Amino acid sequence: AETVQLATHFLDNVVDANKYVSAVPELEEAAHKVRRIGLSVMGLSDMMYLTGVRYGSNRGLELASQIMEFIRYHSMASSIELARVRGPFPGITGSVYDPQKVTWINPKPLVAHRTDFHRPSIDWKKLLSELKKYGIRNGAQTTIAPTGSIATITGLEGYGCEPVFALSYTRNTREGAETEGKEWREMYYESELFSKRLVAHGLSKTVRNRIYEWVRENGGSCQKLKEVPKEIREVFVVSSDLTVEEHVRMQAVMQKWVDNSISKTINFPSTATADEVAKAYQLGWELGLKGMTVYVEGSREQVVLQKKAGPYETREQKQVTSEELCPECGTPMRKEEGCSTCPACAYSKCDK
């Protein structure tokens, strides 16, 4: 809760600190009139990998819904407190948040919240009472942004609220491409979380190498590969493993608590028909989505993320000496600032 409150406070400060385009004064005027902010999340699918919850499952839908309700509640609570101290947003009169006639109604979950995820309790009645008393500082508080680059930089595998794209994939970037005389530069990624789970399950190096090779050659998915234990396959789903309805419903359960739109791609196979795409948009509209993006596999010549085989080199395939291997589990060690750490079991040692 404290993180959400601090982030809300920070974003409200950003509204004033922004350097607006002087040639279009209406932009600054609109920003200050409503003081919209967009508190977001990233790494949702990473969390589900780590907690053993399948993205898109009934449990996954409920977990995502409970998380976003918690964030929305505390972001609003922080914005109301800011209104008490700094005043409500200038355009509040006549809006749904107008303290003289509040018409805003707290959202209801799209799926029932029955599971105890040990989330702290929230009190919407108390929040509504405070809203009527002080108003609110920000006319909109939440969104879910794509976060592709910053998620990659921070080591996350899932962007925004998206499922993991693939357990092994190619990312096309312009960074560094010019120095190589290219328009695009290819970077190759593999899921560390998947790798760690295989190691923790006790699979041999030979089996793990075979799994990595199969995943790279089959669209980045580990489904239908019997050498991967069932309990791992059930959790480590990627975007192409989900049905269109699962994609749409995952976005919808979060949209209930997000007052701006959400960046989320609904992935279709290359065989998708116009009618199937139309049905997805219809479902999204019925469930209350404010926007939706559809991508049909192979419909564009150049994309940022690609599922294709490349010159991957996993930690399993690197030539390393016995001194570079973890003495506990045999995984190649990572060395930073004189210390070596095992990414699988956390064993570490430092140079004398």
Side-chain angles (χ1 to χ4, degrees):
E2 182 181 0
T3 300
V4 176
Q5 292 162 4
L6 287 172
T8 301
H9 195 150
F10 169 79
L11 290 172
D12 184 63
N13 289 345
V14 170
V15 175
D16 296 315
N18 266 341
K19 298 296 183 182
Y20 297 93
V21 180
S22 58
V24 190
E26 292 84 359
L27 293 176
E28 183 173 5
E29 180 184 342
H32 284 92
K33 183 177 181 179
V34 183
R35 304 191 67 83
R36 282 178 172 270
I37 59 174
L39 187 61
S40 183
V41 297
M42 65 180 182
L44 178 68
S45 53
D46 295 59
M47 184 202 66
M48 291 191 176
Y49 278 178
L50 290 167
T51 55
V53 176
R54 182 190 183 278
Y55 187 105
S57 66
N58 289 336
R59 188 176 176 84
L61 291 171
E62 184 184 351
L63 178 57
S65 179
Q66 287 204 34
I67 289 171
M68 290 313 301
E69 180 188 23
F70 184 81
I71 291 173
R72 177 67 185 280
Y73 175 85
H74 284 287
S75 182
M76 286 191 69
S78 180
S79 188
I80 291 170
E81 173 60 18
L82 285 171
R84 184 186 71 81
V85 176
R86 299 176 172 179
F89 65 92
I92 196 170
T93 302
S95 74
V96 295
Y97 295 124
D98 188 343
Q100 301 302 316
K101 188 181 180 181
V102 174
T103 57
W104 178 83
I105 302 173
N106 66 284
K108 303 299 179 185
L110 190 63
V111 294
H113 290 181
R114 297 193 179 97
T115 305
D116 180 10
F117 290 113
H118 303 290
R119 187 193 74 175
S121 61
I122 55 181
D123 187 347
W124 284 107
K125 288 184 178 180
K126 178 182 178 182
L127 183 140
L128 185 58
S129 175
E130 296 291 297
L131 175 62
K132 291 178 179 179
K133 188 175 181 180
Y134 301 113
I136 195 165
R137 179 68 172 170
N138 310 101
Q141 306 87 41
T142 52
T143 189
I144 299 183
T147 75
S149 296
I150 60 175
T152 300
I153 291 170
T154 55
L156 292 173
E157 298 179 8
Y159 306 157
C161 65
E162 299 276 11
V164 168
F165 176 69
L167 297 176
S168 183
Y169 64 91
T170 303
R171 180 180 177 86
N172 293 310
T173 178
R174 296 188 187 277
E175 291 291 332
E178 187 175 344
T179 60
E180 298 177 3
K182 302 176 182 177
E183 182 180 2
W184 295 89
R185 182 186 180 198
E186 292 185 339
M187 301 176 69
Y188 304 100
Y189 290 85
E190 288 189 341
S191 168
E192 286 195 26
L193 295 176
F194 180 60
S195 176
K196 289 178 181 179
R197 187 62 63 87
L198 294 178
V199 171
H201 207 273
L203 297 181
S204 70
K205 184 185 296 186
T206 300
V207 172
R208 296 199 300 270
N209 284 344
R210 190 158 58 242
I211 289 172
Y212 295 141
E213 182 179 354
W214 189 93
V215 167
R216 288 195 298 273
E217 294 176 354
N218 290 271
S221 170
C222 70
Q223 303 304 307
K224 299 181 181 179
L225 183 59
K226 294 181 179 179
E227 288 175 302
V228 177
K230 182 179 179 181
E231 57 267 35
I232 296 179
R233 280 185 279 126
E234 287 179 346
V235 173
F236 281 81
V237 294
V238 296
S239 59
S240 59
D241 296 325
L242 302 176
T243 66
V244 170
E245 184 173 348
E246 286 175 330
H247 274 290
V248 175
R249 289 191 179 278
M250 277 295 290
Q251 181 176 344
V253 296
M254 291 180 278
Q255 184 71 79
K256 283 291 183 179
W257 313 105
V258 176
D259 45 8
N260 290 303
S261 57
I262 293 175
S263 174
K264 169 81 179 75
T265 301
I266 313 301
N267 297 84
F268 279 85
S270 58
T271 55
T273 65
D275 185 56
E276 289 171 333
V277 173
K279 287 181 179 178
Y281 273 101
Q282 178 69 25
L283 177 61
W285 176 77
E286 291 172 356
L287 295 177
L289 298 188
K290 296 186 177 181
M292 199 170 89
T293 300
V294 162
Y295 174 67
V296 178
E297 187 74 28
S299 61
R300 295 181 61 186
E301 291 184 4
Q302 183 66 56
V303 292
V304 175
L305 304 181
Q306 287 181 291
K307 302 172 186 175
K308 69 175 185 179
Y312 293 86
E313 184 181 33
T314 68
R315 294 185 183 85
E316 311 296 335
Q317 297 166 323
K318 291 181 180 177
Q319 298 298 314
V320 294
T321 67
S322 59
E323 292 182 353
E324 295 173 311
L325 297 176
C326 173
E328 297 292 332
C329 67
T331 301
M333 303 277 279
R334 286 182 177 176
K335 191 166 185 177
E336 293 181 2
E337 299 181 357
C339 292
S340 297
T341 304
C342 175
C345 70
Y347 169 86
S348 65
K349 66 175 183 178
C350 296
D351 298 336
K352 296 181 180 179

PDB file of all heavy atoms in Angstrom, residues 152 159 165-166 169-172 189 295 297 302-308:
ATOM      1  N   THR A 152      12.313  -5.109 -19.879  1.00  0.00           N
ATOM      2  CA  THR A 152      13.501  -5.834 -20.324  1.00  0.00           C
ATOM      3  C   THR A 152      14.734  -5.366 -19.565  1.00  0.00           C
ATOM      4  O   THR A 152      15.552  -6.171 -19.108  1.00  0.00           O
ATOM      5  CB  THR A 152      13.722  -5.632 -21.838  1.00  0.00           C
ATOM      6  OG1 THR A 152      12.577  -6.119 -22.548  1.00  0.00           O
ATOM      7  CG2 THR A 152      14.955  -6.383 -22.317  1.00  0.00           C
ATOM      8  N   TYR A 159       5.785  -8.125 -19.955  1.00  0.00           N
ATOM      9  CA  TYR A 159       5.629  -6.679 -20.112  1.00  0.00           C
ATOM     10  C   TYR A 159       4.247  -6.256 -19.623  1.00  0.00           C
ATOM     11  O   TYR A 159       3.236  -6.836 -20.018  1.00  0.00           O
ATOM     12  CB  TYR A 159       5.774  -6.274 -21.576  1.00  0.00           C
ATOM     13  CG  TYR A 159       7.048  -6.740 -22.244  1.00  0.00           C
ATOM     14  CD1 TYR A 159       7.118  -6.881 -23.624  1.00  0.00           C
ATOM     15  CD2 TYR A 159       8.185  -7.048 -21.500  1.00  0.00           C
ATOM     16  CE1 TYR A 159       8.290  -7.298 -24.247  1.00  0.00           C
ATOM     17  CE2 TYR A 159       9.351  -7.468 -22.108  1.00  0.00           C
ATOM     18  CZ  TYR A 159       9.404  -7.593 -23.487  1.00  0.00           C
ATOM     19  OH  TYR A 159      10.556  -8.007 -24.095  1.00  0.00           O
ATOM     20  N   PHE A 165       5.800 -13.487 -23.690  1.00  0.00           N
ATOM     21  CA  PHE A 165       5.648 -13.673 -25.133  1.00  0.00           C
ATOM     22  C   PHE A 165       6.080 -15.076 -25.559  1.00  0.00           C
ATOM     23  O   PHE A 165       5.382 -15.761 -26.311  1.00  0.00           O
ATOM     24  CB  PHE A 165       6.473 -12.619 -25.876  1.00  0.00           C
ATOM     25  CG  PHE A 165       6.467 -12.768 -27.368  1.00  0.00           C
ATOM     26  CD1 PHE A 165       5.315 -12.523 -28.098  1.00  0.00           C
ATOM     27  CD2 PHE A 165       7.615 -13.156 -28.045  1.00  0.00           C
ATOM     28  CE1 PHE A 165       5.304 -12.665 -29.484  1.00  0.00           C
ATOM     29  CE2 PHE A 165       7.613 -13.295 -29.425  1.00  0.00           C
ATOM     30  CZ  PHE A 165       6.457 -13.050 -30.144  1.00  0.00           C
ATOM     31  N   ALA A 166       7.244 -15.502 -25.104  1.00  0.00           N
ATOM     32  CA  ALA A 166       7.764 -16.827 -25.435  1.00  0.00           C
ATOM     33  C   ALA A 166       8.871 -17.160 -24.447  1.00  0.00           C
ATOM     34  O   ALA A 166       9.503 -16.270 -23.879  1.00  0.00           O
ATOM     35  CB  ALA A 166       8.295 -16.864 -26.867  1.00  0.00           C
ATOM     36  N   TYR A 169      12.974 -16.229 -27.468  1.00  0.00           N
ATOM     37  CA  TYR A 169      12.539 -15.402 -28.592  1.00  0.00           C
ATOM     38  C   TYR A 169      13.623 -14.421 -29.015  1.00  0.00           C
ATOM     39  O   TYR A 169      14.637 -14.250 -28.342  1.00  0.00           O
ATOM     40  CB  TYR A 169      11.259 -14.638 -28.251  1.00  0.00           C
ATOM     41  CG  TYR A 169      11.405 -13.631 -27.129  1.00  0.00           C
ATOM     42  CD1 TYR A 169      11.741 -12.309 -27.391  1.00  0.00           C
ATOM     43  CD2 TYR A 169      11.190 -14.005 -25.808  1.00  0.00           C
ATOM     44  CE1 TYR A 169      11.869 -11.384 -26.370  1.00  0.00           C
ATOM     45  CE2 TYR A 169      11.316 -13.091 -24.775  1.00  0.00           C
ATOM     46  CZ  TYR A 169      11.656 -11.782 -25.057  1.00  0.00           C
ATOM     47  OH  TYR A 169      11.789 -10.880 -24.041  1.00  0.00           O
ATOM     48  N   THR A 170      13.372 -13.763 -30.148  1.00  0.00           N
ATOM     49  CA  THR A 170      14.267 -12.744 -30.684  1.00  0.00           C
ATOM     50  C   THR A 170      13.623 -11.380 -30.498  1.00  0.00           C
ATOM     51  O   THR A 170      12.439 -11.210 -30.784  1.00  0.00           O
ATOM     52  CB  THR A 170      14.508 -12.964 -32.192  1.00  0.00           C
ATOM     53  OG1 THR A 170      15.033 -14.271 -32.391  1.00  0.00           O
ATOM     54  CG2 THR A 170      15.493 -11.940 -32.740  1.00  0.00           C
ATOM     55  N   ARG A 171      14.389 -10.413 -30.012  1.00  0.00           N
ATOM     56  CA  ARG A 171      13.906  -9.041 -29.882  1.00  0.00           C
ATOM     57  C   ARG A 171      14.680  -8.165 -30.852  1.00  0.00           C
ATOM     58  O   ARG A 171      15.914  -8.135 -30.820  1.00  0.00           O
ATOM     59  CB  ARG A 171      14.087  -8.527 -28.449  1.00  0.00           C
ATOM     60  CG  ARG A 171      13.584  -7.088 -28.248  1.00  0.00           C
ATOM     61  CD  ARG A 171      13.784  -6.638 -26.803  1.00  0.00           C
ATOM     62  NE  ARG A 171      13.382  -5.257 -26.619  1.00  0.00           N
ATOM     63  CZ  ARG A 171      12.157  -4.848 -26.354  1.00  0.00           C
ATOM     64  NH1 ARG A 171      11.188  -5.739 -26.242  1.00  0.00           N
ATOM     65  NH2 ARG A 171      11.871  -3.571 -26.199  1.00  0.00           N
ATOM     66  N   ASN A 172      13.967  -7.461 -31.717  1.00  0.00           N
ATOM     67  CA  ASN A 172      14.591  -6.550 -32.670  1.00  0.00           C
ATOM     68  C   ASN A 172      14.644  -5.147 -32.073  1.00  0.00           C
ATOM     69  O   ASN A 172      13.635  -4.633 -31.599  1.00  0.00           O
ATOM     70  CB  ASN A 172      13.789  -6.521 -33.979  1.00  0.00           C
ATOM     71  CG  ASN A 172      13.854  -7.849 -34.705  1.00  0.00           C
ATOM     72  OD1 ASN A 172      14.931  -8.396 -34.901  1.00  0.00           O
ATOM     73  ND2 ASN A 172      12.704  -8.382 -35.091  1.00  0.00           N
ATOM     74  N   TYR A 189      16.708 -13.942 -26.291  1.00  0.00           N
ATOM     75  CA  TYR A 189      16.326 -14.077 -24.890  1.00  0.00           C
ATOM     76  C   TYR A 189      15.816 -15.476 -24.576  1.00  0.00           C
ATOM     77  O   TYR A 189      15.209 -16.130 -25.422  1.00  0.00           O
ATOM     78  CB  TYR A 189      15.215 -13.075 -24.546  1.00  0.00           C
ATOM     79  CG  TYR A 189      15.666 -11.640 -24.513  1.00  0.00           C
ATOM     80  CD1 TYR A 189      15.710 -10.887 -25.676  1.00  0.00           C
ATOM     81  CD2 TYR A 189      16.048 -11.035 -23.322  1.00  0.00           C
ATOM     82  CE1 TYR A 189      16.125  -9.563 -25.660  1.00  0.00           C
ATOM     83  CE2 TYR A 189      16.464  -9.714 -23.296  1.00  0.00           C
ATOM     84  CZ  TYR A 189      16.499  -8.987 -24.467  1.00  0.00           C
ATOM     85  OH  TYR A 189      16.911  -7.681 -24.443  1.00  0.00           O
ATOM     86  N   TYR A 295      -3.194  -8.854 -32.667  1.00  0.00           N
ATOM     87  CA  TYR A 295      -2.073  -9.150 -33.565  1.00  0.00           C
ATOM     88  C   TYR A 295      -2.239 -10.564 -34.104  1.00  0.00           C
ATOM     89  O   TYR A 295      -2.348 -11.524 -33.338  1.00  0.00           O
ATOM     90  CB  TYR A 295      -0.722  -9.039 -32.857  1.00  0.00           C
ATOM     91  CG  TYR A 295       0.423  -9.479 -33.752  1.00  0.00           C
ATOM     92  CD1 TYR A 295       0.760  -8.731 -34.879  1.00  0.00           C
ATOM     93  CD2 TYR A 295       1.114 -10.657 -33.505  1.00  0.00           C
ATOM     94  CE1 TYR A 295       1.772  -9.136 -35.731  1.00  0.00           C
ATOM     95  CE2 TYR A 295       2.135 -11.070 -34.347  1.00  0.00           C
ATOM     96  CZ  TYR A 295       2.459 -10.308 -35.459  1.00  0.00           C
ATOM     97  OH  TYR A 295       3.448 -10.721 -36.305  1.00  0.00           O
ATOM     98  N   GLU A 297      -0.497 -13.522 -36.041  1.00  0.00           N
ATOM     99  CA  GLU A 297       0.858 -14.003 -36.296  1.00  0.00           C
ATOM    100  C   GLU A 297       1.196 -13.932 -37.787  1.00  0.00           C
ATOM    101  O   GLU A 297       0.448 -14.404 -38.636  1.00  0.00           O
ATOM    102  CB  GLU A 297       0.989 -15.455 -35.815  1.00  0.00           C
ATOM    103  CG  GLU A 297       2.394 -16.024 -35.881  1.00  0.00           C
ATOM    104  CD  GLU A 297       3.301 -15.473 -34.795  1.00  0.00           C
ATOM    105  OE1 GLU A 297       2.801 -15.094 -33.726  1.00  0.00           O
ATOM    106  OE2 GLU A 297       4.516 -15.427 -35.031  1.00  0.00           O
ATOM    107  N   GLN A 302       7.940  -6.719 -40.222  1.00  0.00           N
ATOM    108  CA  GLN A 302       8.927  -6.411 -39.192  1.00  0.00           C
ATOM    109  C   GLN A 302       8.225  -6.180 -37.864  1.00  0.00           C
ATOM    110  O   GLN A 302       7.341  -5.338 -37.767  1.00  0.00           O
ATOM    111  CB  GLN A 302       9.730  -5.159 -39.563  1.00  0.00           C
ATOM    112  CG  GLN A 302      10.839  -4.818 -38.574  1.00  0.00           C
ATOM    113  CD  GLN A 302      11.941  -5.862 -38.559  1.00  0.00           C
ATOM    114  OE1 GLN A 302      12.536  -6.165 -39.573  1.00  0.00           O
ATOM    115  NE2 GLN A 302      12.208  -6.425 -37.397  1.00  0.00           N
ATOM    116  N   VAL A 303       8.582  -6.955 -36.860  1.00  0.00           N
ATOM    117  CA  VAL A 303       7.997  -6.808 -35.535  1.00  0.00           C
ATOM    118  C   VAL A 303       9.112  -6.746 -34.504  1.00  0.00           C
ATOM    119  O   VAL A 303      10.253  -7.133 -34.768  1.00  0.00           O
ATOM    120  CB  VAL A 303       7.043  -7.984 -35.198  1.00  0.00           C
ATOM    121  CG1 VAL A 303       5.815  -7.936 -36.078  1.00  0.00           C
ATOM    122  CG2 VAL A 303       7.754  -9.317 -35.343  1.00  0.00           C
ATOM    123  N   VAL A 304       8.776  -6.241 -33.314  1.00  0.00           N
ATOM    124  CA  VAL A 304       9.788  -6.110 -32.265  1.00  0.00           C
ATOM    125  C   VAL A 304      10.184  -7.474 -31.710  1.00  0.00           C
ATOM    126  O   VAL A 304      11.359  -7.768 -31.511  1.00  0.00           O
ATOM    127  CB  VAL A 304       9.265  -5.203 -31.130  1.00  0.00           C
ATOM    128  CG1 VAL A 304      10.264  -5.167 -29.977  1.00  0.00           C
ATOM    129  CG2 VAL A 304       9.024  -3.796 -31.662  1.00  0.00           C
ATOM    130  N   LEU A 305       9.177  -8.332 -31.455  1.00  0.00           N
ATOM    131  CA  LEU A 305       9.443  -9.657 -30.908  1.00  0.00           C
ATOM    132  C   LEU A 305       9.137 -10.719 -31.947  1.00  0.00           C
ATOM    133  O   LEU A 305       8.112 -10.663 -32.616  1.00  0.00           O
ATOM    134  CB  LEU A 305       8.589  -9.910 -29.661  1.00  0.00           C
ATOM    135  CG  LEU A 305       8.714  -8.898 -28.524  1.00  0.00           C
ATOM    136  CD1 LEU A 305       7.837  -9.310 -27.356  1.00  0.00           C
ATOM    137  CD2 LEU A 305      10.156  -8.773 -28.075  1.00  0.00           C
ATOM    138  N   GLN A 306      10.044 -11.692 -32.071  1.00  0.00           N
ATOM    139  CA  GLN A 306       9.854 -12.757 -33.039  1.00  0.00           C
ATOM    140  C   GLN A 306      10.133 -14.105 -32.404  1.00  0.00           C
ATOM    141  O   GLN A 306      11.049 -14.256 -31.600  1.00  0.00           O
ATOM    142  CB  GLN A 306      10.799 -12.581 -34.235  1.00  0.00           C
ATOM    143  CG  GLN A 306      10.421 -11.448 -35.176  1.00  0.00           C
ATOM    144  CD  GLN A 306      11.393 -11.375 -36.332  1.00  0.00           C
ATOM    145  OE1 GLN A 306      12.549 -11.023 -36.159  1.00  0.00           O
ATOM    146  NE2 GLN A 306      10.924 -11.718 -37.513  1.00  0.00           N
ATOM    147  N   LYS A 307       9.324 -15.088 -32.795  1.00  0.00           N
ATOM    148  CA  LYS A 307       9.557 -16.459 -32.355  1.00  0.00           C
ATOM    149  C   LYS A 307      10.263 -17.183 -33.490  1.00  0.00           C
ATOM    150  O   LYS A 307       9.628 -17.732 -34.378  1.00  0.00           O
ATOM    151  CB  LYS A 307       8.237 -17.161 -32.049  1.00  0.00           C
ATOM    152  CG  LYS A 307       7.406 -16.477 -30.988  1.00  0.00           C
ATOM    153  CD  LYS A 307       6.049 -17.131 -30.910  1.00  0.00           C
ATOM    154  CE  LYS A 307       5.135 -16.392 -29.958  1.00  0.00           C
ATOM    155  NZ  LYS A 307       3.777 -16.940 -29.952  1.00  0.00           N
ATOM    156  N   LYS A 308      11.563 -17.139 -33.481  1.00  0.00           N
ATOM    157  CA  LYS A 308      12.295 -17.832 -34.529  1.00  0.00           C
ATOM    158  C   LYS A 308      13.590 -18.368 -33.962  1.00  0.00           C
ATOM    159  O   LYS A 308      14.128 -17.858 -32.988  1.00  0.00           O
ATOM    160  CB  LYS A 308      12.581 -16.903 -35.704  1.00  0.00           C
ATOM    161  CG  LYS A 308      13.590 -15.802 -35.416  1.00  0.00           C
ATOM    162  CD  LYS A 308      13.885 -15.010 -36.675  1.00  0.00           C
ATOM    163  CE  LYS A 308      14.993 -13.986 -36.432  1.00  0.00           C
ATOM    164  NZ  LYS A 308      15.321 -13.231 -37.648  1.00  0.00           N
TER     165      LYS A 308
END
